[in-house]
mmCIF file of all heavy atoms in Angstrom:
data_model
loop_
_atom_site.group_PDB
_atom_site.id
_atom_site.type_symbol
_atom_site.label_atom_id
_atom_site.label_comp_id
_atom_site.label_asym_id
_atom_site.label_seq_id
_atom_site.Cartn_x
_atom_site.Cartn_y
_atom_site.Cartn_z
ATOM 1 N N THR A 181 1.025 0.091 0.527
ATOM 2 C CA THR A 181 1.480 -0.196 -0.845
ATOM 3 C C THR A 181 3.007 -0.078 -0.975
ATOM 4 O O THR A 181 3.654 -1.025 -1.441
ATOM 5 C CB THR A 181 0.735 0.705 -1.847
ATOM 6 O OG1 THR A 181 -0.667 0.447 -1.707
ATOM 7 C CG2 THR A 181 1.161 0.437 -3.264
ATOM 8 N N ILE A 204 8.085 7.002 -10.099
ATOM 9 C CA ILE A 204 7.239 7.857 -10.945
ATOM 10 C C ILE A 204 5.919 8.041 -10.202
ATOM 11 O O ILE A 204 5.176 7.068 -10.003
ATOM 12 C CB ILE A 204 6.993 7.246 -12.340
ATOM 13 C CG1 ILE A 204 8.269 6.612 -12.901
ATOM 14 C CG2 ILE A 204 6.458 8.310 -13.296
ATOM 15 C CD1 ILE A 204 8.063 5.891 -14.234
ATOM 16 N N GLY A 205 5.657 9.271 -9.788
ATOM 17 C CA GLY A 205 4.477 9.561 -8.970
ATOM 18 C C GLY A 205 4.918 10.077 -7.618
ATOM 19 O O GLY A 205 5.928 9.604 -7.075
ATOM 20 N N ARG A 206 4.200 11.051 -7.085
ATOM 21 C CA ARG A 206 4.589 11.666 -5.799
ATOM 22 C C ARG A 206 3.389 11.834 -4.874
ATOM 23 O O ARG A 206 3.289 12.838 -4.151
ATOM 24 C CB ARG A 206 5.255 13.020 -6.043
ATOM 25 C CG ARG A 206 4.372 13.984 -6.814
ATOM 26 C CD ARG A 206 4.965 15.368 -6.901
ATOM 27 N NE ARG A 206 4.283 16.159 -7.897
ATOM 28 C CZ ARG A 206 4.568 17.413 -8.180
ATOM 29 N NH1 ARG A 206 5.543 18.005 -7.544
ATOM 30 N NH2 ARG A 206 3.912 18.064 -9.111
ATOM 31 N N SER A 207 2.451 10.898 -4.919
ATOM 32 C CA SER A 207 1.304 11.016 -4.011
ATOM 33 C C SER A 207 1.751 10.752 -2.578
ATOM 34 O O SER A 207 2.791 10.128 -2.333
ATOM 35 C CB SER A 207 0.205 10.019 -4.403
ATOM 36 O OG SER A 207 0.619 8.709 -4.106
ATOM 37 N N ILE A 209 0.325 8.765 -0.566
ATOM 38 C CA ILE A 209 0.093 7.377 -0.133
ATOM 39 C C ILE A 209 1.001 6.374 -0.845
ATOM 40 O O ILE A 209 1.205 5.275 -0.355
ATOM 41 C CB ILE A 209 -1.393 6.971 -0.260
ATOM 42 C CG1 ILE A 209 -1.876 7.020 -1.699
ATOM 43 C CG2 ILE A 209 -2.274 7.837 0.614
ATOM 44 C CD1 ILE A 209 -3.251 6.378 -1.865
ATOM 45 N N VAL A 210 1.543 6.734 -2.004
ATOM 46 C CA VAL A 210 2.437 5.799 -2.703
ATOM 47 C C VAL A 210 3.805 6.441 -3.014
ATOM 48 O O VAL A 210 4.821 6.038 -2.441
ATOM 49 C CB VAL A 210 1.822 5.244 -4.012
ATOM 50 C CG1 VAL A 210 2.698 4.096 -4.539
ATOM 51 C CG2 VAL A 210 0.396 4.744 -3.836
ATOM 52 N N HIS A 229 7.286 13.238 -11.744
ATOM 53 C CA HIS A 229 5.865 13.583 -11.639
ATOM 54 C C HIS A 229 5.410 14.193 -12.941
ATOM 55 O O HIS A 229 6.156 14.158 -13.942
ATOM 56 C CB HIS A 229 5.640 14.511 -10.437
ATOM 57 C CG HIS A 229 6.654 15.600 -10.355
ATOM 58 N ND1 HIS A 229 6.606 16.704 -11.162
ATOM 59 C CD2 HIS A 229 7.784 15.708 -9.599
ATOM 60 C CE1 HIS A 229 7.643 17.471 -10.897
ATOM 61 N NE2 HIS A 229 8.391 16.884 -9.962
ATOM 62 N N SER A 230 4.221 14.776 -12.933
ATOM 63 C CA SER A 230 3.641 15.225 -14.202
ATOM 64 C C SER A 230 4.411 16.386 -14.830
ATOM 65 O O SER A 230 4.281 16.631 -16.026
ATOM 66 C CB SER A 230 2.173 15.617 -14.012
ATOM 67 O OG SER A 230 2.075 16.728 -13.167
ATOM 68 N N LEU A 235 11.092 12.218 -18.785
ATOM 69 C CA LEU A 235 10.945 11.027 -17.936
ATOM 70 C C LEU A 235 11.874 9.906 -18.397
ATOM 71 O O LEU A 235 12.525 9.239 -17.599
ATOM 72 C CB LEU A 235 9.474 10.575 -17.958
ATOM 73 C CG LEU A 235 9.121 9.379 -17.101
ATOM 74 C CD1 LEU A 235 9.368 9.656 -15.618
ATOM 75 C CD2 LEU A 235 7.650 8.987 -17.300
ATOM 76 N N ALA A 248 3.967 4.597 -10.242
ATOM 77 C CA ALA A 248 2.739 4.791 -9.439
ATOM 78 C C ALA A 248 2.037 6.034 -9.944
ATOM 79 O O ALA A 248 2.054 7.082 -9.301
ATOM 80 C CB ALA A 248 3.094 4.912 -7.961
ATOM 81 N N VAL A 249 1.436 5.905 -11.109
ATOM 82 C CA VAL A 249 0.868 7.064 -11.799
ATOM 83 C C VAL A 249 -0.648 6.931 -11.973
ATOM 84 O O VAL A 249 -1.410 7.844 -11.675
ATOM 85 C CB VAL A 249 1.557 7.242 -13.184
ATOM 86 C CG1 VAL A 249 0.876 8.340 -13.983
ATOM 87 C CG2 VAL A 249 3.038 7.564 -12.999
ATOM 88 N N GLY A 250 -1.079 5.774 -12.472
ATOM 89 C CA GLY A 250 -2.498 5.606 -12.792
ATOM 90 C C GLY A 250 -2.789 5.911 -14.248
ATOM 91 O O GLY A 250 -3.896 6.330 -14.584
ATOM 92 N N LYS A 251 -1.763 5.669 -15.116
ATOM 93 C CA LYS A 251 -1.966 5.829 -16.568
ATOM 94 C C LYS A 251 -1.268 4.675 -17.284
ATOM 95 O O LYS A 251 -0.109 4.363 -16.961
ATOM 96 C CB LYS A 251 -1.341 7.147 -17.057
ATOM 97 C CG LYS A 251 -2.092 8.371 -16.635
ATOM 98 C CD LYS A 251 -1.458 9.647 -17.194
ATOM 99 C CE LYS A 251 -2.162 10.868 -16.620
ATOM 100 N NZ LYS A 251 -1.365 12.081 -16.677
ATOM 101 N N VAL A 269 2.866 -0.263 -9.765
ATOM 102 C CA VAL A 269 1.821 -0.054 -8.760
ATOM 103 C C VAL A 269 0.478 0.269 -9.426
ATOM 104 O O VAL A 269 -0.587 0.047 -8.848
ATOM 105 C CB VAL A 269 2.225 1.103 -7.796
ATOM 106 C CG1 VAL A 269 1.134 1.377 -6.774
ATOM 107 C CG2 VAL A 269 3.538 0.778 -7.087
ATOM 108 N N GLY A 270 0.518 0.772 -10.626
ATOM 109 C CA GLY A 270 -0.679 1.298 -11.292
ATOM 110 C C GLY A 270 -1.817 0.280 -11.406
ATOM 111 O O GLY A 270 -1.590 -0.929 -11.524
ATOM 112 N N MET A 271 -3.019 0.804 -11.356
ATOM 113 C CA MET A 271 -4.210 -0.031 -11.573
ATOM 114 C C MET A 271 -5.099 0.712 -12.563
ATOM 115 O O MET A 271 -5.698 1.733 -12.215
ATOM 116 C CB MET A 271 -4.950 -0.267 -10.263
ATOM 117 C CG MET A 271 -4.231 -1.261 -9.371
ATOM 118 S SD MET A 271 -5.296 -2.014 -8.147
ATOM 119 C CE MET A 271 -6.000 -0.627 -7.367
ATOM 120 N N ASN A 272 -5.140 0.196 -13.771
ATOM 121 C CA ASN A 272 -5.911 0.834 -14.848
ATOM 122 C C ASN A 272 -6.714 -0.246 -15.564
ATOM 123 O O ASN A 272 -6.557 -1.433 -15.292
ATOM 124 C CB ASN A 272 -4.946 1.490 -15.843
ATOM 125 C CG ASN A 272 -3.908 2.357 -15.145
ATOM 126 O OD1 ASN A 272 -4.259 3.336 -14.521
ATOM 127 N ND2 ASN A 272 -2.642 1.989 -15.236
ATOM 128 N N VAL A 302 1.558 -5.978 -7.050
ATOM 129 C CA VAL A 302 1.519 -5.118 -5.866
ATOM 130 C C VAL A 302 0.163 -5.200 -5.134
ATOM 131 O O VAL A 302 0.107 -5.093 -3.911
ATOM 132 C CB VAL A 302 1.839 -3.653 -6.277
ATOM 133 C CG1 VAL A 302 1.706 -2.711 -5.092
ATOM 134 C CG2 VAL A 302 3.245 -3.568 -6.876
ATOM 135 N N GLY A 303 -0.912 -5.408 -5.879
ATOM 136 C CA GLY A 303 -2.264 -5.426 -5.287
ATOM 137 C C GLY A 303 -2.388 -6.347 -4.084
ATOM 138 O O GLY A 303 -2.720 -5.884 -2.971
ATOM 139 N N THR A 306 -0.427 -5.211 -1.004
ATOM 140 C CA THR A 306 -0.964 -4.076 -0.238
ATOM 141 C C THR A 306 -1.848 -4.596 0.898
ATOM 142 O O THR A 306 -1.742 -4.148 2.053
ATOM 143 C CB THR A 306 -1.765 -3.142 -1.175
ATOM 144 O OG1 THR A 306 -0.859 -2.586 -2.126
ATOM 145 C CG2 THR A 306 -2.441 -2.010 -0.420
HETATM 146 P P1 NAP B 680 -2.283 9.918 -7.657
HETATM 147 O O1 NAP B 680 -2.499 10.483 -6.297
HETATM 148 O O2 NAP B 680 -3.210 10.276 -8.749
HETATM 149 O O3 NAP B 680 -0.800 10.299 -8.108
HETATM 150 C C1 NAP B 680 -0.351 10.067 -9.401
HETATM 151 C C2 NAP B 680 1.025 10.651 -9.551
HETATM 152 O O4 NAP B 680 1.447 10.436 -10.911
HETATM 153 C C3 NAP B 680 1.082 12.166 -9.321
HETATM 154 O O5 NAP B 680 2.189 12.481 -8.493
HETATM 155 C C4 NAP B 680 1.256 12.743 -10.729
HETATM 156 O O6 NAP B 680 2.050 13.908 -10.772
HETATM 157 C C5 NAP B 680 2.005 11.634 -11.420
HETATM 158 N N1 NAP B 680 1.844 11.683 -12.863
HETATM 159 C C6 NAP B 680 0.704 11.875 -13.575
HETATM 160 N N2 NAP B 680 0.963 11.833 -14.893
HETATM 161 C C7 NAP B 680 2.287 11.625 -15.021
HETATM 162 C C8 NAP B 680 3.154 11.488 -16.115
HETATM 163 N N3 NAP B 680 2.691 11.532 -17.371
HETATM 164 N N4 NAP B 680 4.462 11.273 -15.891
HETATM 165 C C9 NAP B 680 4.941 11.212 -14.638
HETATM 166 N N5 NAP B 680 4.159 11.309 -13.538
HETATM 167 C C10 NAP B 680 2.850 11.536 -13.737
HETATM 168 O O7 NAP B 680 -2.259 8.335 -7.616
HETATM 169 P P2 NAP B 680 -1.817 7.291 -6.445
HETATM 170 O O8 NAP B 680 -2.849 7.256 -5.405
HETATM 171 O O9 NAP B 680 -0.408 7.505 -6.083
HETATM 172 O O10 NAP B 680 -1.932 5.942 -7.286
HETATM 173 C C11 NAP B 680 -1.158 5.716 -8.453
HETATM 174 C C12 NAP B 680 -1.636 4.461 -9.127
HETATM 175 O O11 NAP B 680 -1.431 3.369 -8.254
HETATM 176 C C13 NAP B 680 -3.132 4.426 -9.456
HETATM 177 O O12 NAP B 680 -3.321 3.672 -10.639
HETATM 178 C C14 NAP B 680 -3.738 3.691 -8.296
HETATM 179 O O13 NAP B 680 -4.961 3.043 -8.631
HETATM 180 C C15 NAP B 680 -2.649 2.681 -8.035
HETATM 181 N N6 NAP B 680 -2.624 2.149 -6.681
HETATM 182 C C16 NAP B 680 -2.522 0.816 -6.566
HETATM 183 C C17 NAP B 680 -2.455 0.241 -5.324
HETATM 184 C C18 NAP B 680 -2.319 -1.231 -5.224
HETATM 185 O O14 NAP B 680 -2.534 -1.777 -4.164
HETATM 186 N N7 NAP B 680 -1.919 -1.904 -6.288
HETATM 187 C C19 NAP B 680 -2.524 1.040 -4.174
HETATM 188 C C20 NAP B 680 -2.597 2.431 -4.325
HETATM 189 C C21 NAP B 680 -2.640 2.971 -5.595
HETATM 190 P P3 NAP B 680 1.592 15.294 -10.075
HETATM 191 O O15 NAP B 680 1.851 15.122 -8.621
HETATM 192 O O16 NAP B 680 2.489 16.296 -10.715
HETATM 193 O O17 NAP B 680 0.147 15.471 -10.399
#
Side-chain angles (χ1 to χ4, degrees):
T181 301
I204 319 175
R206 57 173 166 179
S207 71
I209 62 169
V210 190
H229 45 77
S230 65
L235 182 62
V249 174
K251 288 182 186 159
V269 178
M271 286 201 307
N272 311 296
V302 176
T306 295

